[in-house]
Amino acid sequence: MMGMSRAGLAERWTLFAGALLSVTLGVALVQSSLLLLITAALLDPPAGASAAERMEFADGTAAAVSMLGVVLGGAVFLAGFIISSTFAFTVDQRRRDLALLRLVGGSRGQLRRLLLGEAVTLGALGAMLGVPAGLAVMRLQGWLMREFGFVPQSFAGEWRQWILGVSFGTGILLAVAGVLVAARRASRVRPLEALRETGPAARVMTWSRALIGLIFLGGALALMIVAPFGGPAGGMAMAMNVPIPAAVAVVAFAPLLVPLIARLVPFRAPGGLARANLSDARRRSASVAAPLIVLVALVVGNVGAGASFTTSGIHQLATQTHADLVVESTGPPGPTNPPSPSTGTPSADTPGAASFSDIPGVASVSVETRVPAEVTTGSGEDRETETISLLVIDPVAYAKTHDDSASLAGLNGREVAAGPGGDVPGAGGTVRLTVPDRDLGDLPVVAGVPATMTGGANLLVPPGLLSAAELKDAPTQSFVTLTKDADAAATRASLARFGTVTTLDDRLRADAEAANSTNEKIMLIVLGLGGLYALIGVINSIVIGAATRRREFAEARVTGMTRGQVVRSALLEAYAITVSALILGGVASAATFIAVLSTTKSVTGTGTLDLPWTQIGAVTAIALVVTTATTLITSLSATRPQPVTQLRAA
Amino acid sequence: MTTMTMTGAAVALQGISRVYGRGPAAVRAVDDVTLQFPRGGWTAVMGPSGSGKSTLLHCAAGLERVDSGRVLIGDTDITAAGDSQLTSLRRTRIGFVFQSFNLIGSLTAEQNVALPLRLAGRRPSRAEVRATLDTVGLADRARHKPRELSGGQQQRVAIARAMVTRPEVLFADEPTGALDSRAARTVLDLLRAMADAGQSIVMVTHDPGAAARADSVVFLGDGRVVDQLTGASTRAVADRLATWER
Ligand SMILES: Nc1ncnc2c1ncn2[C@@H]1O[C@H](COP(=O)(O)OP(=O)(O)OP(=O)(O)O)[C@@H](O)[C@H]1O
Ligand SMILES: [Mg+2]
């Protein structure tokens, strides 16, 4: 049986090369993401860092870890999806061979064992190549993370011995899982199918396929429905998770949908062959379309959602902030930043605001100083410490500058309030707070502002809570509102003494640009390699599909088609499938956009959709170029030999 | 293996029918056929295209289920046999040869011939496989792949593959249909020699010359047995066929 398998490997090498490639890259991607995640999670702050630096470091690491968590999740999903669909496709493509084995006495069990043996071999082989490939991927991903400033320059993914077990396990498990369903179906192939020249009219939509489709459709719908009730962070996370189940649902119904849509794509084909093939080889069409649908849904859906949320957040910030100028300084701005007389007992006055009041033209100022802090929840075993960002504010001035914060006005003494960043208990709760070098004990949360799209500080505290010394190195933004008769230029010049002055509009625009650029960098890290992997999955399916078409091409040629006509017909078929896949990927993205619209509307009052036209255009162009080029190459190579020699082989 | 009575037929069909499709579009491919294919005899099945010859053969070999009637191979009733029983039947008691050879392209002639034995869990010796190839006159082509063989040679490899398990019955559907007259004659000589050595053969053919080499001929028309001949010449077979094809 294994000899048979080995001979099969040698003969249908493109089929197996494709399957092997899918395992190798999948294992590489999963391994790299996992190692980077573990490295980031165990990252220690540099020696000699101050308590404040340690907290900042922990905050940065937490962000990197959660980003890598998303990268790992995406890698696992893509690996599972691409490996299993590639393997299932290779099995489907060999139905006739398998029927022949049944005809000469092969049992169902033998067929299953043959296919599973193949999967184990290819899975292990793929993992063997995937481990070193994963190290290269890790170097690339680590470099991107450093380059984009998500991790310190010293960050580099670390090798771990146990990853070998994970990588081989991943490769073999996913390959076997992919083959399992297909092998069950293939082992039920009837021996008679070996005698039919043309492929069997196999049922393309099975009940299990429809069931999987409905389950994932339900998942996508649930996320879409619940997202607007999840608050900004939860809603964003849910909306960003719509593309995967939506794409899987669409892919499950692809054998029905792709031919249906492809039929509507206008083109003129020689002899009507391309059109007939579209409805006849449904499984092949669907297998080529599947990775493309996932690619489009992931890239367009996620990039669109990310951009929309960023735009919505900036918009919300602009409408809710009322000031003319922003002064940025290190520590609250003051003439000299005098040291507080007694560090331990905070004074009740606001050092920053007081120093502005002398300047003519200034109506009011909200000085906001950002300090890292830790919030501890639970006790004993369940004790958990989370790094948050804390904003020292002047409650009255803050309420004047920011909408929805009237409840803060009375904030006093040891009282704190929930900030726009969320993540802390609301009014009525208590938080156990630690600022660098000092445990502040349990503090009552007495008020709160609604969480916003852009987030921000998690906790707002009154000025007296921290000493001037604790604030002197902290980044501070002062929102200045001018009097009606102010001489803007003169006031601005006077303010320059305290720090960098910008207009609020310029500041917001710069923030928007920074947020967009961060968003793009995150998307590149999260989707870049995954997208590339999906694209390779597309190429793979076309090559595998072509491997079994030599005979079909040869028959078309002996019927009177020229080689050029055969190639052109294959190209048109690929074009129709690509367009259908783009449309279906667009449908899955649209599901995401519905969740984005409803979430932004519920959080900010305005539904926002910022479509990433550049990426949509790029994905469309790349998809068309790649499918066309691959089909051209495979069909040219499949039609190179004289048709007669191909028809004569059994 | 089941014990056989010497007088029993190799294959017996008792009132079998096979209907494709439903309602007004239904096709009665085989319509209430009762037939016995004698042990150690070579029976040819003839009839116009679409008369149900292949369907009859498939039903007799357990490749296609029957809608009514009973099918017996030897004295084993396979009408309601399960998949594993049919699999072991294919491994040990019946062999197939088809018009389109159906060899596995990635395997050499010798590997193709050894395949049924290996599927049955045996490790055939090279000598055993070569001996079988030798009986079809292809010992020197053992290492060739199907695409490196002529059509007649491929068909002889397929016959060797069908014979290697020493089956009780050999089913052949137009085994000479894709061959020129010389290659066809080689294959028919081979089948004649096998039948003379006691092999039961059921063969569907369009060629009166081929049918005349068999011991008896069954004529089908619209899924029914319309005539039978024994020991007829090519001429007699052709004449009878012409009557039924009119
Ligand atoms: N799978 C099938 N589904 C529906 N109809 C079928 C199927 N197989 C055969 N038929 C029909 O059954 C009838 C008998 O077919 P069969 O293949 O047995 O004919 P045949 O005598 O072998 O013809 P030929 O000499 O052309 O090979 C035909 O009308 C055919 O259309
Ligand atoms: Mg036939």
Side-chain angles (χ1 to χ4, degrees):
Chain A
M1 228 35 214
M2 268 342 258
M4 165 78 211
S5 182
R6 235 176 292 122
L9 276 176
E11 188 74 4
R12 303 243 178 198
W13 72 270
T14 40
L15 231 72
F16 294 104
L20 191 63
L21 185 67
S22 73
V23 177
T24 301
L25 296 179
V27 165
L29 211 54
V30 169
Q31 174 188 297
S32 160
S33 314
L34 183 58
L35 283 178
L36 285 173
L37 176 65
I38 302 273
T39 309
L42 299 179
L43 209 55
D44 282 326
S50 70
E53 282 165 346
R54 280 170 180 277
M55 284 187 188
E56 295 278 14
F57 187 87
D59 202 25
T61 321
V65 166
S66 67
M67 184 177 3
L68 285 166
V70 175
V71 173
L72 177 63
V76 170
F77 163 72
L78 276 176
F81 181 83
I82 301 224
I83 293 175
S84 57
S85 56
T86 307
F87 273 72
F89 190 33
T90 60
V91 173
D92 272 342
Q93 291 291 294
R94 289 183 294 158
R95 272 183 88 85
R96 198 152 175 262
D97 286 6
L98 298 173
L100 196 53
L101 278 181
R102 296 278 284 133
L103 193 62
V104 295
S107 68
R108 287 182 176 172
Q110 279 174 325
L111 251 60
R112 264 202 301 272
R113 278 196 296 282
L114 172 79
L115 294 171
L116 287 179
E118 254 172 37
V120 170
T121 310
L122 285 170
L125 211 60
M128 222 147 76
L129 300 171
V131 169
L135 290 177
V137 171
M138 183 167 78
R139 225 165 292 138
L140 178 65
Q141 277 183 317
W143 176 78
L144 278 175
M145 298 278 294
R146 284 196 304 275
E147 198 67 5
F148 292 160
F150 293 121
V151 287
Q153 279 305 315
S154 60
F155 179 86
E158 285 160 23
W159 170 259
R160 283 168 213 270
Q161 211 59 44
W162 51 257
I163 199 76
L164 278 176
V166 174
S167 290
F168 274 83
T170 308
I172 295 173
L173 209 74
L174 291 181
V176 168
V179 150
L180 219 51
V181 182
R184 263 180 65 84
R185 205 174 47 230
S187 71
R188 274 190 245 126
V189 61
R190 298 174 60 221
L192 257 190
E193 287 183 20
L195 302 178
R196 306 232 191 294
E197 276 305 313
T198 47
R203 291 236 317 276
V204 283
M205 268 316 289
T206 53
W207 282 111
S208 57
R209 207 177 162 114
L211 190 68
I212 289 173
L214 288 176
I215 288 173
F216 278 87
L217 182 65
L221 283 175
L223 286 173
M224 288 165 67
I225 291 167
V226 179
F229 304 102
M236 253 192 259
M238 282 186 252
M240 302 283 260
N241 273 315
V242 171
I244 288 182
V248 173
V250 170
V251 165
F253 291 104
L256 290 182
L257 297 174
V258 171
L260 209 69
I261 300 175
R263 208 167 304 156
L264 302 177
V265 178
F267 64 78
R268 286 176 57 85
L273 186 66
R275 268 196 205 290
N277 277 341
L278 279 173
S279 47
D280 207 45
R282 280 156 184 258
R283 226 176 233 290
R284 187 176 62 216
S285 312
S287 294
V288 172
L292 204 51
I293 292 171
V294 169
L295 175 72
V296 172
L298 277 184
V299 173
V300 175
N302 277 314
V303 174
S308 302
F309 284 129
T310 306
T311 306
S312 163
I314 298 295
H315 181 74
Q316 185 186 24
L317 209 56
T319 50
Q320 293 194 340
T321 312
H322 308 288
D324 299 303
L325 299 172
V326 182
V327 183
E328 278 164 290
S329 57
T330 305
T336 49
N337 268 343
S340 190
S342 51
T343 314
T345 48
S347 59
D349 59 349
T350 319
S355 53
F356 280 117
S357 52
D358 309 337
I359 295 171
V362 173
S364 71
V365 183
S366 174
V367 179
E368 302 168 12
T369 305
R370 191 175 292 266
V371 178
E374 280 174 1
V375 166
T376 309
T377 49
S379 59
E381 286 279 295
D382 299 331
R383 217 177 108 101
E384 242 183 82
T385 302
E386 199 188 342
T387 308
I388 61 155
S389 110
L390 177 154
L391 207 57
V392 182
I393 58 164
D394 172 351
V396 177
Y398 187 92
K400 269 191 215 160
T401 310
H402 306 278
D403 285 352
D404 294 334
S405 45
S407 69
L408 301 180
L411 204 63
N412 209 331
R414 285 174 57 80
E415 296 169 345
V416 298
D423 251 7
V424 291
T430 54
V431 288
R432 191 184 163 84
L433 193 65
T434 312
V435 290
D437 296 325
R438 195 150 67 98
D439 187 352
L440 290 173
D442 286 326
L443 302 174
V445 182
V446 299
V449 299
T452 61
M453 213 79 233
T454 38
N458 307 91
L459 216 53
L460 303 175
V461 306
L465 198 61
L466 300 186
S467 70
E470 282 170 320
L471 299 183
K472 79 173 169 24
D473 293 327
T476 304
Q477 285 193 326
S478 304
F479 293 86
V480 177
T481 309
L482 302 178
T483 53
K484 281 207 182 65
D485 53 354
D487 175 351
T491 312
R492 204 176 156 158
S494 312
L495 284 172
R497 236 179 336 130
F498 299 99
T500 319
V501 186
T502 45
T503 65
L504 181 65
D505 290 344
D506 285 347
R507 181 67 258 163
L508 288 174
R509 204 167 301 127
D511 281 350
E513 268 164 33
N516 280 325
S517 136
T518 306
N519 183 43
E520 274 165 23
K521 286 171 183 168
I522 292 175
M523 288 302 161
L524 189 63
I525 288 178
V526 172
L527 298 174
L529 288 173
L532 210 59
Y533 182 38
L535 199 62
I536 289 172
V538 175
I539 297 176
N540 233 340
S541 317
I542 296 178
V543 173
I544 292 173
T548 48
R549 298 185 74 177
R550 290 169 176 271
R551 194 184 172 87
E552 174 194 322
F553 288 155
E555 274 160 3
R557 285 176 74 190
V558 295
T559 318
M561 277 173 102
T562 65
R563 185 176 175 200
Q565 282 176 321
V566 170
V567 171
R568 200 152 74 85
S569 158
L571 280 176
L572 287 169
E573 191 186 329
Y575 161 74
I577 293 173
T578 306
V579 172
S580 321
L582 288 171
I583 291 173
L584 288 173
V587 169
S589 308
T592 313
F593 296 153
I594 291 173
V596 167
L597 276 170
S598 60
T599 304
T600 49
K601 178 147 178 62
S602 93
V603 173
T604 71
T606 316
T608 307
L609 191 59
D610 190 357
L611 286 181
W613 289 113
T614 322
Q615 281 87 347
I616 293 177
V619 166
T620 307
I622 289 173
L624 284 170
V625 167
V626 164
T627 51
T628 306
T630 314
T631 308
L632 188 66
I633 293 169
T634 52
S635 57
L636 277 178
S637 107
T639 50
R640 185 163 305 131
Q642 284 301 308
V644 188
T645 59
Q646 283 170 310
L647 284 180
R648 108 184 238 168
Chain B
M1 197 177 283
T2 332
T3 48
M4 232 66 59
T5 49
M6 289 308 287
T7 51
V11 182
L13 308 178
Q14 304 180 346
I16 66 161
S17 294
R18 178 73 176 108
V19 183
Y20 290 115
R22 255 184 232 144
V27 177
R28 294 193 81 83
V30 173
D31 190 5
D32 192 20
V33 168
T34 298
L35 258 180
Q36 297 217 338
F37 298 108
R39 179 170 307 279
W42 180 1
T43 312
V45 180
M46 297 199 79
S49 181
S51 57
K53 304 182 293 294
S54 297
T55 308
L56 181 86
L57 193 80
H58 295 158
C59 289
L63 291 173
E64 188 90 80
R65 68 180 174 79
V66 292
D67 293 309
S68 58
R70 294 207 308 154
V71 178
L72 290 100
I73 303 238
D75 56 4
T76 313
D77 187 342
I78 64 157
T79 318
D83 184 71
S84 58
Q85 201 188 339
L86 288 173
T87 300
S88 84
L89 188 79
R90 286 196 288 272
R91 270 185 197 168
T92 52
R93 296 179 56 190
I94 57 185
F96 300 100
V97 178
F98 296 98
Q99 178 175 4
S100 52
F101 323 140
N102 289 300
L103 298 175
I104 291 184
S106 56
L107 300 181
T108 61
E110 143 182 89
Q111 285 170 329
N112 262 296
V113 172
L115 187 60
L117 294 177
R118 298 183 56 181
L119 286 170
R122 284 187 46 200
R123 294 196 155 277
S125 70
R126 170 151 296 168
E128 185 181 354
V129 174
R130 290 274 164 111
T132 312
L133 269 176
D134 197 26
T135 58
V136 298
L138 286 174
D140 56 332
R141 297 304 175 97
R143 303 267 185 155
H144 289 235
K145 295 224 171 145
R147 73 171 94 71
E148 298 158 353
L149 299 172
S150 75
Q153 288 167 336
Q154 286 186 59
Q155 191 61 300
R156 275 142 69 199
V157 174
I159 291 174
R161 181 179 66 185
M163 294 313 299
V164 76
T165 56
R166 303 180 193 291
E168 287 167 42
V169 195
L170 177 68
F171 291 99
D173 194 348
E174 300 185 32
T176 57
L179 305 178
D180 69 19
S181 55
R182 260 206 37 217
R185 188 157 354 103
T186 317
V187 166
L188 291 171
D189 288 344
L190 199 57
L191 292 177
R192 187 64 257 169
M194 282 158 46
D196 290 342
Q199 175 69 52
S200 316
I201 302 173
V202 179
M203 175 186 77
V204 168
T205 185
H206 275 295
D207 174 10
R213 301 289 301 273
D215 301 319
S216 61
V217 187
V218 173
F219 293 92
L220 285 191
D222 283 339
R224 291 171 169 274
V225 177
V226 291
D227 207 348
Q228 279 182 304
L229 276 179
T230 307
S233 67
T234 304
R235 183 66 193 268
V237 173
D239 286 349
R240 194 64 64 92
L241 191 63
T243 329
W244 292 113
E245 277 187 347
R246 232 183 2 224

